[in-house]
Amino acid sequence: MKFYLIVARGKQKGFPIPITVDLFMIGSSEMCQLRARQPGIGEEHCALVTRERKVFIRDMNSGEPTTLNGTLVPPGEECPVHAGDRLEVGPLEFMIQFREKPLSQKDLEEWAARCLDVTLEQELFDEDADDFHQQTTAASAAASIIDKLQAQRGLVMGRLRIGRDQGVTTVRFNDAKLVDESEVALIKKELCHYLGKANLRVLLDFKNVRRMSTSGVQMIGDFYTWLKPWGSTMALCRVREDLKAILRTLDLAKIPLFKDKREAIDARW
């Protein structure tokens, strides 16, 4: 499996680092594939590990912290990473991007659309499309994409994209399938971790979801119940017709369901 670290800070911002090995070490030691001798970087600081087409970040207990999306990776432990995650190693910062084909100028627009989870016709690109097309190198264009990602509403946090819109906390699932029990459990953990606050209006956006198992539906119901003691409310939007039937079979019809995101944000629930 091939993926990329996109430099997200400094003079090399936007530069893609391809990773094709199952164990990619970052640190100041000669044995590391990515070496940097700067304060805050341990000799064998951390490693990106690929197993069964999944990517993990492992802190090597060097005494220097490794952070993922602003959260400390426990020393000596390992956790999964996903496309769009932000990795900080000392003063270095990267965005993780899964990509099976080599990054080239020819396929950069497709990569950019995947990275931002929008189509080129949407207003994020329409606003200054000329600037985008004026980029002359893959690295400079990628740097522009990262700037747009930082500026747009909502942050990618693991399997979720979380934003705020008119007092509503919007949560879009990045996964197309809420099927595997272990993956569903990780998503539920992230929901509870990021949304454990009082009096939220939480809108779950199913735009990307194409399949959902019974365990996935049960996870939605459990999260709805979990939110209540916090004084928070929850609604769903952009659920496919075939998935609505599954929701009804597990008695989740009580959760407000809206056709589109704007309708949900403007409604009272």
Side-chain angles (χ1 to χ4, degrees):
M1 177 179 177
K2 186 174 185 177
F3 65 99
Y4 286 84
L5 287 181
I6 310 296
V7 179
R9 182 191 298 170
K11 293 182 180 179
Q12 298 298 317
K13 183 177 179 180
F15 185 79
I17 302 170
I19 299 176
T20 58
V21 295
D22 292 339
L23 181 65
F24 184 89
M25 297 280 294
I26 302 174
S28 60
S29 169
E30 291 294 330
M31 70 176 294
C32 296
Q33 288 96 330
L34 196 161
R35 293 185 294 276
R37 294 181 174 87
Q38 298 182 45
I41 298 179
E43 287 192 11
E44 297 172 15
H45 193 116
C46 63
L48 286 156
V49 183
T50 305
R51 287 196 309 271
E52 299 178 352
R53 300 192 61 79
K54 295 179 182 179
V55 183
F56 303 83
I57 181 70
R58 181 188 301 164
D59 182 271
M60 302 303 290
N61 204 14
S62 68
E64 299 290 352
T66 304
T67 61
L68 185 67
N69 297 322
T71 301
L72 182 70
V73 178
E77 295 188 19
E78 183 179 282
C79 61
V81 298
H82 310 288
D85 280 356
R86 303 292 287 241
L87 174 65
E88 291 186 65
V89 181
L92 306 180
E93 184 175 344
F94 307 95
M95 183 173 72
I96 296 169
Q97 182 62 37
F98 291 89
R99 183 71 184 176
E100 295 184 0
K101 296 189 296 184
L103 185 69
S104 66
Q105 189 69 28
K106 182 179 180 180
D107 61 17
L108 183 61
E109 289 186 2
E110 179 188 348
W111 175 86
R114 287 177 180 271
C115 178
L116 294 175
D117 195 24
V118 296
T119 61
L120 293 177
E121 287 77 18
Q122 288 178 287
E123 63 184 27
L124 184 62
F125 280 97
D126 288 344
E127 202 170 14
D128 45 11
D130 290 341
D131 291 340
F132 176 80
H133 288 291
Q134 287 171 4
Q135 302 296 332
T136 57
T137 68
S140 60
S144 176
I145 296 305
I146 290 174
D147 287 338
K148 293 177 187 295
L149 179 62
Q150 292 173 324
Q152 75 172 5
R153 180 173 290 155
L155 296 174
V156 174
M157 298 180 176
R159 300 295 182 87
L160 312 171
R161 183 184 294 277
I162 302 178
R164 292 279 292 177
D165 195 338
Q166 297 182 27
V168 175
T169 301
T170 60
V171 182
R172 184 190 298 182
F173 297 104
N174 295 333
D175 295 72
K177 300 177 183 178
L178 303 183
V179 175
D180 182 79
E181 287 191 15
S182 60
E183 298 293 324
V184 167
L186 286 174
I187 294 172
K188 180 181 177 182
K189 183 177 180 181
E190 290 182 353
L191 284 169
C192 295
H193 175 74
Y194 292 117
L195 301 173
K197 298 178 181 179
N199 303 317
L200 295 179
R201 295 179 66 208
V202 179
L203 177 64
L204 300 186
D205 186 348
F206 283 74
K207 177 185 177 182
N208 298 327
V209 179
R210 297 291 179 265
R211 288 184 56 198
M212 189 160 50
S213 66
T214 302
S215 61
V217 177
Q218 188 62 55
M219 179 269 289
I220 300 299
D222 290 345
F223 179 63
Y224 175 73
T225 302
W226 182 86
L227 279 175
K228 285 185 176 181
W230 292 89
S232 298
T233 57
M234 188 179 92
L236 315 178
C237 73
R238 296 198 279 195
V239 180
R240 290 166 59 95
E241 288 300 323
D242 53 329
L243 300 183
K244 290 179 183 178
I246 303 175
L247 291 173
R248 286 192 289 267
T249 61
L250 291 185
D251 194 29
L252 296 187
K254 57 190 174 184
I255 303 176
L257 179 62
F258 298 93
K259 183 178 180 180
D260 60 56
K261 183 177 176 181
R262 180 50 49 191
E263 177 189 12
I265 290 172
D266 292 341
R268 303 184 70 173
W269 38 272

